[in-house]
Amino acid sequence: MTNEPTFIENPILRGFHPDPSILRVGEDYYLATSTFEWFPGVRLHHSRDLRHWRPIGYALDRRSQLDLLGNPRSGGVWAPCLTHARGVFYLVYTDVKCWGRGFVDAHNYVVTASRIEGPWSEPIALNRGGFDPSLFHDDDGRMWLVNMVWDHRPGNDQFPGIVLQEFDLQQRRLVGERRWILPGGGLGLTEGPHLYRRGGHYYLLVAQGGTSYEHAVTLARSRRIEGPYEVDPNTPLLTSSHDPSLALQKAGHGCLVETSTGEWYLAHLCGRPLPGERRCILGRETALQRVRWTDDGWLALDGVDSPRSPAVRVPAPRLPAHPVEAPPVRDDFDRAALGVDYQTLRDVPDESWVSLRERPGHLRVRGRESPQSLHRQSVVGRRVQSIRCRVETCLEFEPTSFQQMAGLMALYDDENFFYALLSHDERLGRSVALLGSELGKLTWLARPVAVSAKRLHLRFELSGKDLRFSWSEDGQRFDALGPALDGSLLSDERASLGIGFTGAFAALCAHDLTGASLHADFDYLDYEELPPPR
């Protein structure tokens, strides 16, 4: 054992890591989180002590498992559920093709693997008509699927409740009657169900209140799996809605795990708004709370000052420490494959548009569709995980048209982004500029300036909501590129429907609207988190 403090510091997964599903297999702990329109799908983390977490990859890494081309912003993979039974990992997930306008098209699937690292199987289609599916393995070997149902009819509760149906792996389909086991109501917007069995009860954990500032976790139980379920009279188990001063807001969408030492924890999503504002640049993150079973068989938060409030510091389990080595600041792109921190926007990263082999030591990105395309954009991004950070790259790019551009983006989605780009201007030739998009409206934030050097260095620094871009021809002296910007444009709350589900990304990209697929070569990417100002 080490002498480090025996506390978990929340959030345990910083930046865009919502809808956590937590699982223990022996002495190993795993987390699966939503990835929405970013590919590969379903981000996976591993820990041995619940304090230190290491990203280990993604489950859905083939187009046959997940085709995101054309998916709407904040569509795609919603709320995965990771389970394990009889030597097999199961992952249930939703691919959302339409949402936010009345109807929801939610395709629910399950994949399996003998190892968490994969390969994961081809998907089995389960059902549609609702989202947040979760698989429960009962003691008798039977498997049950629970999910919420979406009601599109005007005037009806769009979240009418939770349904249960048996899953038969041999038949590769759901079988038997679909049963309603928990109606909507209470705090409303009932979703995110997970089933557990303890003692003589089945426990149903659900999210309520919506995945914003009214979010909450509610527990119900029944003697029979098909119900009826009674709701905990002291509900909710967890919420931030009563106290806007809490550091962790939006607390909800919980999932339970029991440690090998018999201690219980609740994984949940949260958001950390900018000071004095209700805007979360980093998106929804993952936190852990310690919980305990009460004498009357319900759950309560353990070791916190307020009975329902999420804590930043949480007592850690009695497990040996397993620290994780911090990644280096610079990625020189000298590996055979993209690192685990990278994802691409909707499309599968293949050699037709992104390569680490064509020019060793560089990331080559071939320009394709525009920054507002929902299909084949050439964007390689990583999460912004601190509101104080520096991101820098160096690229070579030889555009001959204003329709060819490449550079560094700070982006939320295809509507809200800032783009420091190298392009061609009819008067200046090769030039650097800063383009902004707010809810799809384009604005020059810094007009083109001539560039003579072959290599162009681009940088942005985020400090709270203050976002500043700069550029350099020698990598030493950087000049400002545009004014100080409002980085909160990259928050959930600024999205087009008034809510988004992802978070801020730093991305390397190339766009070629001529169809020539002109490539840009990126020499490195720096991502450095900065200390708070004194």
Side-chain angles (χ1 to χ4, degrees):
M1 299 287 286
T2 68
N3 293 323
E4 64 180 287
T6 55
F7 288 95
I8 295 169
E9 298 286 341
N10 283 316
I12 54 168
L13 301 184
R14 295 176 298 115
F16 162 46
H17 292 99
D19 310 325
S21 174
I22 193 167
L23 169 69
R24 177 175 68 88
V25 180
E27 300 297 324
D28 296 292
Y29 300 84
Y30 303 103
L31 274 167
T33 50
S34 297
T35 44
F36 294 88
E37 66 261 44
W38 290 91
F39 190 95
V42 183
R43 187 159 163 88
L44 301 171
H45 282 78
H46 170 257
S47 176
R48 300 271 290 182
D49 59 11
L50 297 187
R51 283 180 282 169
H52 307 96
W53 292 87
R54 176 176 62 92
I56 56 174
Y58 303 86
L60 309 175
D61 58 6
R62 306 188 298 276
R63 196 185 304 278
S64 59
Q65 297 170 317
L66 181 65
D67 187 350
L68 293 172
L69 294 182
N71 275 38
R73 62 194 65 91
S74 288
V77 176
W78 288 15
C81 173
L82 183 65
T83 58
H84 184 269
R86 294 171 289 281
V88 177
F89 288 94
Y90 295 80
L91 180 71
V92 182
Y93 63 98
T94 303
D95 179 8
V96 175
K97 301 297 187 185
C98 171
W99 75 278
R101 294 178 294 171
F103 286 98
V104 170
D105 290 300
H107 302 245
N108 296 320
Y109 301 96
V110 61
V111 292
T112 60
S114 58
R115 301 171 63 248
I116 190 71
E117 298 86 359
W120 290 81
S121 70
E122 290 300 296
I124 298 172
L126 296 172
N127 62 18
R128 302 183 189 178
F131 47 84
D132 293 359
S134 176
L135 198 61
F136 169 67
H137 307 268
D138 210 344
D139 296 343
D140 60 5
R142 298 170 76 181
M143 290 183 280
W144 300 86
L145 188 80
V146 287
N147 61 267
M148 66 80 66
V149 171
W150 180 264
D151 191 339
H152 63 270
R153 293 171 294 181
N156 283 14
D157 183 355
Q158 293 178 322
F159 292 74
I162 305 300
V163 294
L164 169 82
Q165 193 170 4
E166 187 172 1
F167 173 65
D168 189 312
L169 183 60
Q170 299 303 314
Q171 298 187 52
R172 296 171 59 86
R173 65 184 181 91
L174 296 172
V175 297
E177 178 186 356
R178 187 180 79 165
R179 299 180 174 92
W180 290 85
I181 61 171
L182 185 72
L187 300 175
L189 285 75
T190 303
E191 57 185 340
H194 292 292
L195 265 176
Y196 307 90
R197 187 172 185 176
R198 184 177 184 272
H201 285 99
Y202 291 92
Y203 287 89
L204 180 62
L205 193 73
V206 297
Q208 290 195 304
T211 187
S212 189
Y213 292 93
E214 302 302 315
H215 211 190
V217 175
T218 293
L219 188 65
R221 70 183 181 189
S222 173
R223 294 286 185 181
R224 302 165 62 239
I225 193 169
E226 64 270 25
Y229 283 80
E230 61 169 325
V231 175
D232 181 354
N234 293 314
T235 199
L237 170 62
L238 174 75
T239 188
S240 313
S241 62
H242 59 287
D243 188 352
S245 70
L246 292 171
L248 305 181
Q249 291 293 314
K250 303 185 179 182
H253 201 109
C255 186
L256 291 167
V257 67
E258 183 182 12
T259 69
S260 57
T261 52
E263 301 161 276
W264 286 81
Y265 286 84
L266 176 76
H268 66 94
L269 71 77
C270 64
R272 290 181 293 166
L274 291 164
E277 302 193 32
R278 288 166 72 87
R279 294 177 179 173
C280 300
I281 293 178
L282 304 182
R284 296 170 303 155
E285 306 170 288
T286 288
L288 277 175
Q289 304 298 325
R290 185 181 174 100
V291 294
R292 60 178 174 81
W293 292 98
T294 63
D295 292 340
D296 54 355
W298 294 106
L299 277 173
L301 297 185
D302 191 22
V304 296
D305 296 330
S306 176
R308 294 179 176 85
S309 302
V312 172
R313 299 189 82 213
V314 174
R318 300 183 301 274
L319 295 171
H322 286 268
V324 174
E325 184 177 352
V329 168
R330 174 159 293 186
D331 185 351
D332 282 311
F333 298 125
D334 53 4
R335 292 174 290 185
L338 284 170
V340 72
D341 285 328
Y342 295 104
Q343 287 184 278
T344 54
L345 193 54
R346 293 186 177 87
D347 204 2
V348 179
D350 60 40
E351 288 286 325
S352 70
W353 70 271
V354 61
S355 176
L356 289 162
R357 294 189 291 186
E358 289 188 21
R359 185 180 176 187
H362 293 75
L363 178 69
R364 174 162 290 181
V365 181
R366 297 188 183 278
R368 297 186 298 167
E369 295 178 357
S370 81
Q372 294 181 337
S373 172
L374 300 182
H375 293 82
R376 292 177 173 85
Q377 277 204 61
S378 298
V379 175
V380 180
R382 61 146 298 145
R383 288 157 177 76
V384 173
Q385 295 180 273
S386 170
I387 60 170
R388 302 192 186 279
C389 65
R390 176 186 66 88
V391 179
E392 181 181 315
T393 191
C394 175
L395 76 152
E396 297 176 32
F397 186 55
E398 298 296 334
T400 58
S401 166
F402 73 93
Q403 291 180 313
Q404 296 170 324
M405 62 202 92
L408 175 65
M409 297 182 83
L411 81 156
Y412 184 84
D413 58 21
D414 55 276
E415 285 197 327
N416 288 351
F417 59 81
F418 303 101
Y419 188 0
L421 57 90
L422 178 61
S423 187
H424 176 85
D425 180 83
E426 292 89 342
R427 183 174 60 87
L428 301 172
R430 286 175 76 246
S431 55
V432 63
L434 183 60
L435 182 68
S437 176
E438 181 172 358
L439 298 180
K441 182 180 179 180
L442 299 179
T443 305
W444 282 124
L445 300 170
R447 291 193 171 273
V449 177
V451 173
S452 58
K454 182 177 179 62
R455 291 162 55 87
L456 177 67
H457 299 258
L458 295 171
R459 175 189 291 175
F460 74 72
E461 291 193 16
L462 180 66
S463 179
K465 75 174 196 177
D466 186 88
L467 178 66
R468 297 173 186 265
F469 280 82
S470 56
W471 68 287
S472 172
E473 293 188 310
D474 61 9
Q476 300 297 317
R477 185 178 69 86
F478 279 79
D479 294 320
L481 186 61
L485 303 168
D486 180 4
S488 72
L489 177 70
L490 308 179
S491 64
D492 295 343
E493 294 77 11
R494 298 285 291 273
S496 60
L497 293 175
I499 186 171
F501 300 143
T502 56
F505 271 71
L508 307 178
C509 53
H511 302 89
D512 189 346
L513 310 187
T514 72
S517 301
L518 185 66
H519 70 261
D521 287 338
F522 295 89
D523 187 18
Y524 63 85
L525 179 68
D526 286 354
Y527 174 80
E528 181 182 18
E529 297 187 359
L530 305 175
R534 293 190 174 185

